[in-house]
Amino acid sequence: MDSLLASVLSYVLIYRYAAIFIIEFFGAIILPLPVNAAMLAVGAFSSQGYFNLWGSLTAAVAGNVLGDLTDYLATRKFGEIVIKKLRINKSRFFLQLEEELRQDAVSTVFSSRFAGSLSSIVNFVAGFVGVPFFSFFIPDLLGDLIEPLVLMCVGYVLGVYWDNFSSVLTIFAAVVATGVIMFILFRMYRRMTKRRRESAETSDN
Amino acid sequence: MAKLGNNGFRTYIKYALIFLGIVLVILMFFLVREIVYIKRSEDINIRKIQFSSFLKSHGPMTVNDAGIIAPWMTFDYINRLFKLPPEFLKTSLVVTDSRYPQISISGYARSEGMNATVFIGEVQSDLRDYLINKK
């Protein structure tokens, strides 16, 4: 077990629900914290009666959603200035992601919840392009509910042996994240090809 | 110029997709390897019986489980896990820290200038003695 996860777990055991909330909050904002492994452990702690599963889930979802909303609202308010200063607005990937979010905000926000750090990028871009609040909030809440619920349930079933499975879980999460990123990129590519075909047809006519 | 840019981006996306496909295949390989390793592992096979019985009941741990104690665990968590009297570890290990039981065992060892591994050994030993005598 790496030392960061060990420290996180100690804090979770000492500060309980407040620690779950804070870890999820900062993990959602952008910090690379071992949130998935921690939630697996919290599920295991719940099975031992050390935590209440529903209380933990509430703290995790609240922290995660609030973190995502912080990203979203921050860029909604200050995004344009920062993005122009950093010159990210000239990045092709950024422009395509922006287009993707404008076209299909709900499914992009929802699917990106399972794409690791891409979810933070999507939060920032969603705020920047002005995705309507509820089009962001509802899929975000749903995604943020499913992820910790699944992890905590798996941890609950595994009990004290959760640690034996945390390395498999890391690989599994990486596979899911890669799959989601590929899905989003594929949709961007398809949309671009379609647009190009349409513009070619218009110029032919 | 714009056309050239679009073509460039298209190529970029193509390569990105190919790269991600390769990454996915590699990750799948590691996932399968890990699963096969876990299945073959003697350690896991031995634990299978313990594990299935544990799934039926998440009851208190026994003397055989003392080895699971890890540096990140707090005294409070260990007390709960093994159903120990709240003051048992404090008395047996002569813990004077006011943060007991809400302090991790590695944190306590560090604050007392002790080696964490040695201290965990002491915790396990006291725990085993208690659980054996309780029987």
Side-chain angles (χ1 to χ4, degrees):
Chain A
M1 183 186 293
D2 66 277
S3 57
L4 182 60
L5 178 59
S7 307
V8 164
L9 291 180
S10 292
Y11 283 113
V12 165
L13 288 175
I14 295 168
Y15 301 107
R16 297 186 171 226
Y17 302 102
I20 296 174
F21 177 87
I22 288 168
I23 289 159
E24 282 284 353
F25 178 78
F26 285 107
I29 284 184
I30 202 146
L31 289 184
L33 296 171
V35 178
N36 288 349
M39 290 308 109
L40 196 68
V42 167
F45 301 155
S46 305
S47 76
Q48 293 147 2
Y50 202 75
F51 278 92
N52 177 295
L53 186 71
W54 302 113
S56 313
L57 184 67
T58 308
V61 173
N64 211 343
V65 170
L66 215 68
D68 289 340
L69 285 178
T70 307
D71 288 345
Y72 168 80
L73 293 171
T75 45
R76 200 166 170 158
K77 188 148 191 180
F78 310 107
E80 208 160 338
I81 309 159
V82 177
I83 280 164
K84 273 184 183 165
K85 269 196 175 172
L86 294 173
R87 297 186 177 199
I88 306 170
N89 56 340
K90 284 176 185 167
S91 147
R92 281 181 185 149
F93 177 74
F94 179 82
L95 292 172
Q96 285 300 322
L97 192 59
E98 192 182 324
E99 179 68 20
E100 185 72 18
L101 271 165
R102 275 192 217 279
Q103 299 272 338
D104 202 355
V106 173
S107 67
T108 309
V109 171
F110 179 75
S111 55
S112 66
R113 299 308 95 184
F114 311 96
S117 50
L118 183 73
S119 71
S120 301
I121 299 170
V122 169
N123 299 340
F124 288 127
V125 180
F128 178 70
V129 301
V131 168
F133 181 78
F134 284 103
S135 299
F136 176 82
F137 178 70
I138 292 167
D140 178 54
L141 180 67
L142 257 176
D144 287 351
L145 181 71
I146 293 169
E147 202 186 16
L149 179 66
V150 169
L151 289 166
M152 282 182 193
C153 287
V154 172
Y156 192 94
V157 173
L158 293 173
V160 80
Y161 301 103
W162 68 271
D163 195 24
N164 296 339
F165 291 82
S166 61
S167 58
V168 181
L169 173 87
T170 309
I171 296 169
F172 185 75
V175 171
V176 172
T178 314
V180 172
I181 293 169
M182 281 184 74
F183 168 71
I184 293 171
L185 282 175
F186 176 71
R187 267 197 348 188
M188 285 178 181
Y189 175 69
R190 237 181 34 181
R191 196 159 274 157
M192 275 169 57
T193 323
K194 193 181 164 193
R195 206 181 308 127
R196 202 171 301 121
R197 207 183 310 128
E198 280 169 3
S199 68
E201 279 169 10
T202 318
S203 62
D204 283 349
N205 291 334
Chain B
M1 190 70 182
K3 244 184 180 176
L4 198 75
N6 278 343
N7 281 339
F9 184 67
R10 198 176 162 183
T11 319
Y12 167 74
I13 288 284
K14 256 187 193 172
Y15 284 127
L17 282 173
I18 291 166
F19 173 73
L20 282 170
I22 293 166
V23 170
L24 192 67
V25 169
I26 293 168
L27 286 172
M28 286 299 281
F29 167 75
F30 280 114
L31 181 67
V32 171
R33 204 185 70 160
E34 197 75 13
I35 290 166
V36 170
Y37 171 75
I38 282 172
K39 272 190 173 173
R40 283 184 187 165
S41 164
E42 273 303 302
D43 183 43
I44 297 293
N45 286 338
I46 292 162
R47 288 186 187 198
K48 253 186 183 174
I49 305 158
Q50 291 178 355
F51 178 58
S52 54
S53 63
F54 189 75
L55 284 182
K56 285 173 197 154
S57 151
H58 291 297
M61 311 258 78
T62 62
V63 67
N64 299 323
D65 300 308
I68 68 155
I69 291 177
W72 53 266
M73 292 179 179
T74 59
F75 290 105
D76 188 41
Y77 180 62
I78 296 167
N79 290 342
R80 178 71 68 94
L81 206 57
F82 289 90
K83 295 266 184 279
L84 301 175
E87 297 296 305
F88 168 72
L89 288 174
K90 188 179 184 180
T91 316
S92 68
L93 296 162
V94 202
V95 178
T96 49
D97 197 307
S98 60
R99 289 171 292 176
Y100 178 94
Q102 296 296 353
I103 180 171
S104 68
I105 46 179
S106 64
Y108 175 73
R110 212 173 27 243
S111 69
E112 295 293 311
M114 288 188 272
N115 181 301
T117 317
V118 174
F119 185 64
I120 289 169
E122 285 176 27
V123 175
Q124 287 173 342
S125 163
D126 286 6
L127 184 68
R128 282 195 186 101
D129 289 346
Y130 173 81
L131 294 171
I132 289 166
N133 291 332
K134 206 177 122 186
K135 277 181 184 174

